[in-house]
Amino acid sequence: MHEETKQCQNCKSAFTIDASDFSFYEKIKVPPPTWCPECRARRRLAFWNMRNLYRRKEALHGKEVFCTYPQEADIVIYDHDDWWSDVWDPFAYGKEADFSRPFLEQVKDLVHTVPWPSKSIQQMVDSDYSNQASRLKNCYLCFNGNDSKDCSYGVGFTKMENCIDFYMTDLSQSSYELFWSSRCYECFYCADCHDCRNVMFSKDCRNCQDCIGCVGLRNRKHCIFNVQYTKEEYEAKKKELQIGSHKVIVGISQKVEMLSKKIPVKYMYGQKNANASGNYVYNSKNVRQSFEVVDCEDVAYSHNIGWNTKDCYDYDNWGLNSELIYDSVTVGENCHNVKFSFDCWPGCSDIEYSMNCHSSSDLFGCVGLRSKQYCILNKQYTKENYFVVRDKIIEHMKKIPYVDAHNRTYRYGELFPPEFSPLAYTEAAVSDYYPLSKEEAVSQGFLWRDTSVRTFEVTLSANNLPDLIQDVADSITKEKIGCVRCLRAYKITSHELDFYKRFTIPLPRQCHNCRHLERMKLRNPLRLWHRQCQCAGTHSQPTTNNKQQQDYRYTNTATHSHGAEPCPTEFETSYAPERPEIVYCGSCYNAEVA
């Protein structure tokens, strides 16, 4: 089938479905989507709470628990251990399909009556304040990660040890304020740094050691602001910097930010890829318009997935030996052929329109089932009857679709409407990736509520914290510090204080949530723009002719394949045209940096 242009049912913009898309839809036997890729992503991410934790009462015993969903969410919550026990029967909520009503309306009834688990966790040890995670030990406020210990304030990680404040990292130890970095040891305030040791305030560095404030270096030692020093000179200058001072750190960060604008960036973050478009894509093949993807093949319109994941479209969060996942979120770990579903794991297969189902197969429109097969609307069927009723429901969904309050229709082939999510816009991951005002979110059909947040009386303003970490008394752990950004109180734990003193790091002036939002500013949007390489031959071509951009012009250090002529290479990039970065294609970037 050839390429086809459609109008998005939601935002009304035009989007393209190409031949490879049609081949995938035919392979998994679904009709093509009626929403554009970005609107589909927003809809999926409205179901996923990536990093928030609330206190609310669970319904079985009335005790207060830490929960994925706030008290205001209109669903039934059981404590995690009770939900996974045999004290309740999900079949007690089962019903036969009613062909006089839209099928998704009947699934919505189950969403609001079947209990949900308070958290989504596996094999946790002394990590009560963490969620969306597996196999954590002694971790505090860590989310969407696994196989780590002695960490605090992390999101999106694996195999981390003794680290604080990090996002999208793995295999690192004793590090602080890391963004999209891996295999780092004692690295602080770094972004896109890999295989580094004792590196601080640096960006886009590989296999570097004992460097401060550097950008775009490879296999280097003893550099400060990209200037080479001897070991003795480096140690002397490092001491002069007084890195334990908060004021000094602010100044260094600003200097590094200016330096990073003068050195070319690659059009996409990624390595060891074949035929890939998007950003933060590694070790992957045939990946299109996808972001934060590792070890994937034949994937499109997806985000935050990896580890041997294949043949998936419109898929967010997880992966891990999964394939044929479509229009689903938080599905993974040996899953196969899962469509239009949320939070189904591990080992799930042949599941559609289901939520919170685990280790099950052949489910359609189910909520809260474990180790079940051949079920529809939480009702058990024989194998033969299951497929007969399932096929009848699919035809029914095509003829009598669910229609939401914004007059958008949901026939077979579309994920649940955003209104099915128990989460409000600001409570879900969608607000991190696609920030909207209250008016914008409501106008697009998302739930909005001003959730009450437990506040504490501030006993010390962050503005009054000591500048030097060595001047901080142990009694600071008893203070309720007022964040300089949101003014809410936060605390310094004993583990944090020991960490900061050990590595001479000044106390943070913002709460952990605001620090996370600051890290998110380092991440490019989940969106692509068509651009041309800015290499003009012997130097870079500024985006505009204003003085600021002229100051950032870069002079090439190597001869490129296109000689003194401008590079003709065009690409899709997550760097918008109006941004100040100097964006090079892979070949020109490698000639200068790699």
Side-chain angles (χ1 to χ4, degrees):
M1 186 171 289
H2 299 293
E3 183 177 289
E4 183 178 327
T5 299
K6 290 196 171 189
Q7 184 184 53
C8 175
Q9 183 186 178
N10 185 51
C11 70
K12 309 305 179 184
S13 63
F15 69 100
T16 300
I17 301 176
D18 65 21
S20 59
D21 294 335
F22 279 116
S23 296
F24 178 80
Y25 303 141
E26 183 177 348
K27 182 177 184 179
I28 63 171
K29 297 179 173 58
V30 299
T34 65
W35 291 37
C36 69
E38 183 170 312
C39 287
R40 300 197 302 266
R42 290 173 185 260
R43 183 173 60 186
R44 291 191 304 274
L45 292 172
F47 286 85
W48 177 33
N49 177 351
M50 179 173 64
R51 60 176 186 86
N52 295 310
L53 200 60
Y54 304 95
R55 289 180 182 267
R56 70 170 285 169
K57 288 187 177 181
E58 53 85 40
L60 198 60
H61 305 291
K63 64 182 179 181
E64 190 175 65
V65 296
F66 295 113
C67 189
T68 306
Y69 306 97
Q71 188 68 49
E72 296 84 352
D74 186 21
I75 54 175
V76 179
I77 293 293
Y78 281 1
D79 180 63
H80 173 268
D81 291 344
D82 287 330
W83 191 89
W84 282 91
S85 73
D86 294 329
V87 299
W88 70 287
D89 180 11
F91 280 159
Y93 304 86
K95 62 176 82 172
E96 294 208 13
D98 181 351
F99 291 95
S100 68
R101 302 168 59 201
F103 180 75
L104 290 188
E105 187 177 283
Q106 300 168 63
V107 177
K108 188 176 182 181
D109 292 341
L110 287 181
V111 168
H112 291 287
T113 56
V114 177
W116 291 48
S118 58
K119 293 196 289 186
S120 183
I121 54 176
Q122 297 183 84
Q123 304 173 42
M124 307 283 275
V125 178
D126 295 330
S127 302
D128 292 343
Y129 291 84
S130 297
N131 196 14
Q132 298 284 327
S134 302
R135 299 173 295 280
L136 302 188
K137 182 178 181 180
N138 299 329
C139 289
Y140 178 69
L141 291 177
C142 289
F143 304 93
N144 193 32
N146 59 72
D147 301 300
S148 301
K149 64 179 181 178
D150 302 321
C151 293
S152 300
Y153 315 123
V155 178
F157 58 91
T158 185
K159 297 183 179 178
M160 302 289 289
E161 183 174 343
N162 192 34
C163 294
I164 295 177
D165 283 323
F166 47 95
Y167 176 82
M168 287 298 168
T169 58
D170 64 8
L171 299 164
S172 298
Q173 297 180 22
S174 301
S175 296
Y176 177 69
E177 278 292 356
L178 288 187
F179 172 86
W180 198 263
S181 298
S182 62
R183 299 177 299 280
C184 288
Y185 179 76
E186 293 190 8
C187 292
F188 312 103
Y189 309 99
C190 290
D192 190 33
C193 290
H194 307 270
D195 300 292
C196 291
R197 185 183 183 94
N198 299 323
V199 172
M200 306 180 72
F201 305 100
S202 297
K203 294 182 176 182
D204 188 21
C205 291
R206 304 286 187 277
N207 194 33
C208 291
Q209 182 174 334
D210 296 304
C211 293
I212 300 173
C214 294
V215 179
L217 296 190
R218 302 292 186 270
N219 310 312
R220 301 287 288 274
K221 285 185 179 181
H222 306 128
C223 296
I224 300 178
F225 301 122
N226 282 32
V227 177
Q228 182 69 63
Y229 294 96
T230 65
K231 180 179 179 181
E232 293 73 20
E233 290 171 335
Y234 172 83
E235 293 297 340
K237 289 187 174 294
K238 178 181 178 181
K239 188 174 182 180
E240 291 175 7
L241 285 175
Q242 283 193 310
I243 292 174
S245 162
H246 175 71
K247 292 179 181 178
V248 168
I249 280 181
V250 172
I252 293 176
S253 299
Q254 291 172 346
K255 189 170 182 178
V256 173
E257 185 65 20
M258 293 181 63
L259 177 62
S260 68
K261 298 298 188 295
K262 299 177 182 179
I263 296 175
V265 298
K266 189 178 178 182
Y267 74 102
M268 69 175 288
Y269 288 92
Q271 287 183 320
K272 299 179 181 179
N273 296 316
N275 188 29
S277 70
N279 205 22
Y280 305 113
V281 180
Y282 292 82
N283 306 321
S284 296
K285 180 181 179 181
N286 299 331
V287 171
R288 290 190 297 126
Q289 295 186 45
S290 296
F291 304 84
E292 299 175 357
V293 168
V294 179
D295 297 326
C296 289
E297 184 174 347
D298 298 322
V299 165
Y301 316 120
S302 297
H303 156 250
N304 193 27
I305 61 171
W307 308 288
N308 193 33
T309 297
K310 300 178 180 179
D311 283 325
C312 298
Y313 270 48
D314 292 283
Y315 178 23
D316 294 279
N317 187 40
W318 213 331
L320 191 59
N321 303 315
S322 296
E323 61 181 353
L324 296 177
I325 313 298
Y326 176 57
D327 210 3
S328 297
V329 59
T330 314
V331 168
E333 195 167 334
N334 303 305
C335 287
H336 172 86
N337 192 31
V338 177
K339 296 174 280 194
F340 324 117
S341 295
F342 164 69
D343 207 37
C344 294
W345 50 266
C348 289
S349 62
D350 302 310
I351 291 178
E352 299 182 73
Y353 289 106
S354 296
M355 296 189 188
N356 297 321
C357 292
H358 308 283
S359 304
S360 298
S361 63
D362 299 289
L363 306 182
F364 199 95
C366 292
V367 179
L369 298 189
R370 307 184 304 274
S371 303
K372 304 299 181 184
Q373 188 176 19
Y374 306 127
C375 301
I376 298 173
L377 294 175
N378 285 32
K379 179 179 171 60
Q380 183 70 65
Y381 286 82
T382 64
K383 179 178 180 179
E384 294 76 13
N385 285 342
Y386 170 82
F387 289 106
V388 171
V389 177
R390 171 190 172 276
D391 292 346
K392 185 177 178 181
I393 289 173
I394 290 175
E395 292 303 313
H396 174 70
M397 293 176 71
K398 294 176 182 178
K399 296 175 181 177
I400 306 179
Y402 181 91
V403 181
D404 68 13
H406 290 254
N407 205 35
R408 297 172 295 199
T409 58
Y410 297 82
R411 292 180 167 82
Y412 176 77
E414 303 282 352
L415 180 64
F416 305 110
E419 65 193 53
F420 279 40
S421 173
L423 297 169
Y425 198 86
T426 55
E427 298 159 2
V430 64
S431 64
D432 266 6
Y433 293 95
Y434 302 101
L436 292 178
S437 67
K438 178 177 181 178
E439 292 73 19
E440 290 171 328
V442 171
S443 68
Q444 295 180 28
F446 294 100
L447 173 65
W448 187 282
R449 56 173 165 251
D450 299 315
T451 305
S452 58
V453 177
R454 182 173 294 189
T455 58
F456 300 92
E457 181 181 356
V458 171
T459 60
L460 177 66
S461 170
N463 290 317
N464 295 328
L465 290 172
D467 181 59
L468 299 172
I469 185 61
Q470 53 263 43
D471 294 336
V472 176
D474 290 348
S475 59
I476 193 69
T477 58
K478 299 178 182 179
E479 301 285 358
K480 299 179 181 66
I481 305 168
C483 173
V484 295
R485 179 172 173 174
C486 71
L487 305 181
R488 290 176 181 160
Y490 66 99
K491 298 194 71 175
I492 301 296
T493 67
S494 297
H495 173 257
E496 279 183 86
L497 184 61
D498 292 344
F499 184 96
Y500 299 147
K501 288 192 172 184
R502 176 186 173 188
F503 296 111
T504 320
I505 296 171
L507 295 180
R509 267 55 178 176
Q510 298 185 28
C511 66
H512 79 276
N513 183 62
C514 290
R515 299 198 301 268
H516 173 82
L517 294 177
E518 285 297 312
R519 283 191 291 280
M520 293 305 93
K521 293 179 181 178
L522 300 172
R523 181 184 61 193
N524 287 8
L526 306 186
R527 186 175 297 174
L528 298 176
W529 287 266
H530 188 83
R531 294 184 61 178
Q532 182 172 335
C533 178
Q534 285 184 256
C535 179
T538 59
H539 57 273
S540 67
Q541 177 64 47
T543 304
T544 67
N545 291 322
N546 63 60
K547 185 178 183 302
Q548 183 184 39
Q549 289 291 344
Q550 291 287 354
D551 290 344
Y552 287 160
R553 176 173 290 190
Y554 173 81
T555 300
N556 291 341
T557 60
T559 301
H560 297 192
S561 60
H562 51 83
E565 298 298 317
C567 178
T569 303
E570 298 181 2
F571 43 69
E572 300 292 318
T573 179
S574 59
Y575 288 97
E578 64 271 15
R579 287 181 58 155
E581 290 89 352
I582 300 166
V583 183
Y584 275 17
C585 69
S587 177
C588 292
Y589 171 86
N590 289 339
E592 294 300 313
V593 176

